[in-house]
Structure formats: structure tokens, C-alpha cells
Amino acid sequence: MATIGEKVLKVRSKNAGPFWITIDIFCGTPEAYAEVSGKLETQRVADLTGTPLQLVKRFDIEDLRVVKLSIPRPVVQGSRDDRDMHGAALAVLIDEMAL
Amino acid sequence: MTTRVLVPSGVLGLGFDRTALARGVAMKPDIIAIDGGSTDSGPFSLGAGESKYSRAATKAEWRHLMKARAEAGVPLVIGTSGTCGADATVDWMYDITVELAAELGQSLKIARLYTQQPAERVIEALEAGRVRPLTPAPEVDAEGLRAMTNIVALGGIEQVQAAIETGADVILCGRVTDTATIAALPIARGEAVGGAWHGAKIAECGALCSTNPTSGVILVEFDETGFTVEAMAETALCTPHSVSAHMLYENSDPFQLYEPGGYLDVRGARYTALDKRRVRVEGSEWVKGTYTVKLEGAKEGGFQTTIMAVLRQAHYVAHAQEWADKMHGFLTDQITERMGLTPPDYTLEFRMIGVNGALGALENRAGAPVEVGVLGIVTAQTQAIASEIGKLINPWVLHYPLTEDEELPTFAFPYSPATSNRGALYEFALNHVMELDDPMSAFRIVVTEVK
């Protein structure tokens, strides 16, 4: 089954301040946007990142052909258990996810 | 009226295209504004009160901007001086400015906007119910606030405007929001408030809102109905897509941006291409609210020593986690026996670089790496204890056998000594806002002249 990464231009994750991470899925074409926006279940992103569903913010932005998901950081940026200071590796989990 | 703000790059220290800067100066800006910091690299800068960027890089770039300021004859303002905007890093930026003024033969009026907060001020506000948590927020109390090494409040346009009103040539701000230095002058001159905040957000990372992000320089022209944004490098184009997509950047919400005294709402914004290079934006709204400033604070979370062994032998690579788990149990006993310490007096963790180093428990793929880096991290209450634990575990990290009946293995240590003392581990300890009646009551401005 095709992964999200194979369907879209780019998946990016970044800190949004020390307490949040935001994931931007740049779909590129209207078709890819329709598919990702339609098929990507927020629950799966919650499961993949270990986040309670009610804390996931989701924005489907048709004009930009972007699906954006923001989650509280699994661990606070820079704390003892943080492994990824800029929150960049989380994007890979979404990129490699089967749609 | 119109107000032109020239933004040389997203942050001082990352570089900018000098031809583009010259083009920007020729466009007759009313102010030059650049950001000097962010929390994005982690809590060290705020915890220690030190700049993340080198003094040499900062001074070299600031020299160009001070020359550009003299040529344009307008104020030059930097937000969040020295990465974290603590008083110490504002003064660090001040020293660099004074040195450069002498080297360039410039006479200057310099305003410093200090934003660091004494713990007692925040405690008083906390006890008065005027410090409120954002989501998610660490627990905070008086003792915890006193233990923080640095606390800053993020100033907004009011504080930057007060600094501009001193008539200073150069304004060195402590911690302010990324947008405040850009939005301050347009709003003071009566341009559209929503447009000013929105244009400031678009320009705060320099040319990241264009098709050539590394070129740096952006010019925003604000007026009474909105703003027009243009990249100054010939090769960089601002398109409705590149501009509107920047609202996604490092924002958990792409439509609402909270600032001191309200929030920006861009849901009604319209982005129009004026030509190939320039984008016009109208329709952004500013929604006024209670006057609060966001707080950032960092505290020490122990001291660390690290050690790294690289496993290359296939048998160890295949069983790296099992090896590390077994060794961890053994070392925990050794540390208790020899030093009388048990967790949580210290923590010892081994991370498998090449297996799940970046994602830890969230990793859902398994590969067959050629080698595995085993990064041991010791965290203890003092550096001396962390260092002592590092030395104690060192021989086993080098030689610990997976099974009892094998010859003593030896792993690859990349350097000597095998342990590195990292100093203090700092942690972000505040995600709160503090309510103020008078925006200036938690901030102060110092003006000096150098000849």
C-alpha cells in the first residue's frame, strides 16, 4: 500500500514553541490533497505519536493543499528524555504511514 | 501613509544576501528590523543566559546592518538579543554594538529594552491570580520560580514602540515576540493593526516566505488597509502560495496568532499577486483582549556526563538493546555498591543510535544496521557525581560481554577520555502568561549615547 510520503510533496515537522510540535503535510496537487484529507484519520496520527485524540489540533487547508496536525510534544523540548530538539523526526512517522 | 520595514533575515547570525540588503536600503525603509533569537534550539540559551550564535558571526553581520542603518538614516532594531533575550545577552549585544560604533566611527543613541523578570515579580502576580497556564504547562509555585536561572517576559509592540520613541538609532530588545519589532512602527503610525501583525508574521523569518529562503532580505510595505511583501534578492519571488504558506511555520494554529493584548486572525485574509515578485494581503483582523505577556523560564535539571561506544561486530549489533539492558542492570548494582547511589538520585540511559535514536519508543521500523552507536547519558545532581558515574561505568561500556562464556569484547570508543561532561541540563519551566495593567510595568528601557 502506498505511503503518505509517496503521495505528497513533503511532510515537515517542527517545534511550535517548546511545548508543541506541528506537522505540515504539503500535498501538492488537489488530487493528493483530497485523498490525504479524506483518508487520513486523526486517530491514527494520535496513535502513532502517542497523543490523546482530543489534544490533536487538525487543520485541512484546501487553498494551500495542506493538512496540518499539531500535538503537544510527547516530551518537553530539551528535557532529559527529549531525543529530537527540533521535533524534525516525527515527520518521518507520518511520511512512512500507509494511507 | 505607508510604512516600510526592511527585514534582513530570519535571525541575526544566519547570513543574508548583501546585494539584496543594498537593494532594500535603496527602497528607503522607515526602519530595519531583525530577530535575534528563538526557543527553537532548546532551553540552554535561556538557562545559561548565553547566545547560541558565535560572537564573531553576530558581530560580522551586525557590522553590515549598522552600516546599512547609517546609510538609510533610520532606526535599527533587534528582537530577542543573543538568542534568549535575557539581560545578560542584551548587554552582550550592547558590547558588540559599542565596539562596532567605535570601529565604524559612528555616534549612536542606543536603547536597551530589558525584559528579564525577577522571580519575586512573577510570584506576586501568581499569588494575585494574574499568572495563568497555557496548554500544556508545567506546575509552577514560588519555590520553583525562585529556582529558575532566567525568566523573561515576551514584550510586544507597546514596549518596542516605547524604545523607538526614545529616538534611538539602535534598539536592542530583550525577549520580544518574533513579530513585535516589525509590527511596532507601522501600528504606531496608524497603519492597519491586523495587517501589521500579519505582515510581521510573514516577514519574521526573512525570505522564508519567498521562493528563495536563504536570500534573507524582505521588504514589507504597510498601509491603512493591509500590506505588500517583496523579497529583495532578484532570484527570490513572493507568491500568494509562498506567503500564505508561511502562516504554517512553527505555528500550532495557522489562523490565530496570540500576541500581547490580543490575537491576530487571518481567516479572512486575501492574498493577491501584484506581479511576479510582490504579494498584496488584506483582510487580516486584530482581536483585542486582556493585556497579557507570555513568560519563558528555564531551570537546571541536573548535570550530565555522556559516553559513546560503537558496536560493529554483527552479533552485538543484532542484540544491541539486549546488551544495553543487561549492562544497565549490572551498572545500576555497581553504582549502588560503590557509590551508594540509587535512582532517582541519578539516571543512566542508553540510547541506540542506528536503531531508534531519534524516535525512541515511537519508532515503528526495524532495519539491519551495520553498526550501532550506544550513547550513555548520566544525569545527576552535580557535575562531580555525574562525572564520577561516567568514570565508574567506562570500563564496562568498553568491555561488557553479552554472554558469560565469551572472550572479553572491546567496542569502539571515538575519543579519549571516553566520557564528556556536558555541564548543566536546563529545562523549560514555564508556559504561562502574566496579566499586566500597564504594559511597561514589567519592562525597562535604558538609553545611552556613544561618540
Side-chain angles (χ1 to χ4, degrees):
Chain A
M1 198 186 293
T3 63
I4 288 185
E6 287 164 353
K7 300 262 179 191
V8 305
L9 275 183
K10 186 170 90 170
V11 184
R12 168 180 82 186
S13 63
K14 293 222 55 162
N15 294 328
F19 297 89
W20 285 80
I21 287 183
T22 191
I23 304 159
D24 296 322
I25 307 173
F26 294 90
C27 299
T29 62
E31 294 73 29
Y33 172 77
E35 187 173 358
V36 173
S37 178
K39 287 191 188 167
L40 177 63
E41 289 162 9
T42 311
Q43 181 68 55
R44 290 186 60 208
V45 176
D47 293 344
L48 210 58
T49 58
T51 311
L53 179 65
Q54 69 273 19
L55 292 179
V56 181
K57 295 188 204 172
R58 174 171 174 159
F59 305 91
D60 291 63
I61 310 166
E62 194 171 2
D63 286 353
L64 292 173
R65 300 187 282 280
V66 165
V67 176
K68 183 179 184 71
L69 297 135
S70 300
I71 58 167
R73 259 179 157 277
V75 292
V76 174
Q77 184 198 9
S79 62
R80 190 182 304 202
D81 295 328
D82 190 17
R83 290 165 171 262
D84 180 14
M85 198 59 53
H86 296 82
L90 210 59
V92 178
L93 287 179
I94 308 299
D95 186 282
E96 293 177 349
M97 188 172 154
L99 193 59
Chain B
M1 203 186 343
T2 61
T3 305
R4 290 182 169 185
V5 182
L6 181 64
V7 181
S9 79
V11 67
L12 188 71
L14 265 192
F16 43 79
D17 178 327
R18 285 174 48 200
T19 312
L21 181 67
R23 189 159 172 260
V25 171
M27 299 282 281
K28 302 203 176 302
D30 296 292
I31 191 168
I32 303 173
I34 190 165
D35 197 4
S38 165
T39 57
D40 201 40
S41 326
F44 176 79
S45 176
L46 181 60
E50 277 181 33
S51 166
K52 161 197 165 185
Y53 289 107
S54 83
R55 195 179 196 277
T58 303
K59 188 175 172 183
E61 290 183 22
W62 196 235
R63 175 189 298 273
H64 292 302
L65 298 186
M66 282 180 56
K67 285 161 90 172
R69 178 212 65 79
E71 193 186 331
V74 297
L76 167 65
V77 54
I78 180 166
T80 312
S81 300
T83 314
C84 63
D87 287 359
T89 57
V90 173
D91 289 339
W92 178 82
M93 199 64 215
Y94 177 77
D95 288 344
I96 291 172
T97 307
V98 171
E99 264 176 43
L100 282 169
E103 289 171 24
L104 296 169
Q106 293 185 0
S107 293
L108 290 179
K109 188 170 180 180
I110 305 170
R112 278 172 280 176
L113 169 64
Y114 289 107
T115 63
Q116 189 154 341
Q117 303 300 311
E120 295 309 319
R121 178 185 293 149
V122 182
I123 292 166
E124 197 178 305
L126 180 71
E127 286 167 356
R130 287 160 73 87
V131 171
R132 288 189 288 277
L134 301 172
T135 306
E139 286 294 317
V140 62
D141 58 20
E143 195 189 344
L145 285 162
R146 285 192 192 102
M148 291 178 198
T149 54
N150 286 303
I151 302 170
V152 290
L154 280 77
I157 56 161
E158 293 78 6
Q159 297 80 11
V160 177
Q161 284 167 351
I164 293 171
E165 279 161 20
T166 64
D169 303 300
V170 176
I171 297 153
L172 309 172
C173 300
R175 188 69 170 119
V176 291
T177 67
D178 293 348
T179 41
T181 55
I182 303 170
L185 186 65
I187 294 173
R189 287 169 39 135
E191 316 298 6
V193 179
W197 283 112
H198 191 184
K201 171 61 194 171
I202 294 303
E204 56 105 1
C205 285
L208 216 55
C209 65
S210 79
T211 57
N212 181 2
T214 56
S215 61
V217 193
I218 286 286
L219 185 85
V220 191
E221 184 174 282
F222 297 92
D223 56 41
E224 285 165 24
T225 54
F227 66 94
T228 301
V229 57
E230 179 180 3
M232 290 294 101
E234 293 287 350
T235 54
L237 308 175
C238 285
T239 67
H241 188 273
S242 75
V243 169
S244 59
H246 190 65
M247 287 306 293
L248 301 168
Y249 195 72
E250 293 179 350
N251 269 357
S252 63
D253 184 325
F255 299 117
Q256 291 186 345
L257 186 67
Y258 281 82
E259 294 283 349
Y263 68 90
L264 166 70
D265 187 335
V266 304
R267 281 174 298 188
R270 297 173 305 279
Y271 302 79
T272 315
L274 290 185
D275 49 41
K276 270 188 178 172
R277 311 189 46 84
R278 295 179 303 154
V279 172
R280 173 78 189 160
V281 184
E282 294 184 357
S284 342
E285 261 188 79
W286 172 253
V287 182
K288 215 172 163 176
T290 310
Y291 198 87
T292 60
V293 287
K294 194 175 171 195
L295 299 171
E296 288 171 355
K299 64 175 184 188
E300 268 174 21
F303 290 80
Q304 294 191 317
T305 294
T306 59
I307 188 167
M308 167 92 105
V310 182
L311 313 183
R312 177 61 180 81
Q313 202 192 331
H315 180 57
Y316 278 86
V317 170
H319 298 96
Q321 187 66 58
E322 185 188 337
W323 174 77
D325 289 346
K326 197 175 157 200
M327 179 168 64
H328 190 278
F330 173 81
L331 293 175
T332 304
D333 292 343
Q334 288 294 312
I335 293 164
T336 304
E337 192 183 312
R338 298 184 176 194
M339 293 179 69
L341 291 176
T342 49
D345 287 346
Y346 75 93
T347 57
L348 169 63
E349 186 191 3
F350 289 107
R351 294 186 188 173
M352 306 288 117
I353 314 295
V355 178
N356 60 3
L359 287 164
L362 296 178
E363 182 56 71
N364 57 18
R365 286 184 68 178
V370 170
E371 62 179 23
V372 174
V374 179
L375 174 63
I377 305 176
V378 178
T379 311
Q381 283 166 3
T382 67
Q383 185 66 71
I385 297 171
S387 174
E388 184 69 2
I389 293 172
K391 287 176 182 172
L392 192 155
I393 68 174
N394 182 334
W396 284 291
V397 177
L398 181 64
H399 288 306
Y400 192 77
L402 184 61
T403 53
E404 278 160 23
D405 55 354
E406 66 183 292
E407 271 192 50
L408 205 65
T410 302
F411 308 109
F413 274 177
Y415 33 65
S416 167
T419 52
S420 308
N421 291 336
R422 287 202 355 92
L425 169 79
Y426 292 100
E427 294 176 344
F428 285 116
L430 282 171
N431 191 28
H432 295 72
V433 293
M434 179 167 72
E435 192 177 332
L436 300 175
D437 291 328
D438 166 10
M440 283 310 292
S441 61
F443 301 87
R444 65 195 170 92
I445 293 170
V446 174
V447 179
T448 49
E449 295 198 31
V450 295
K451 287 192 198 305

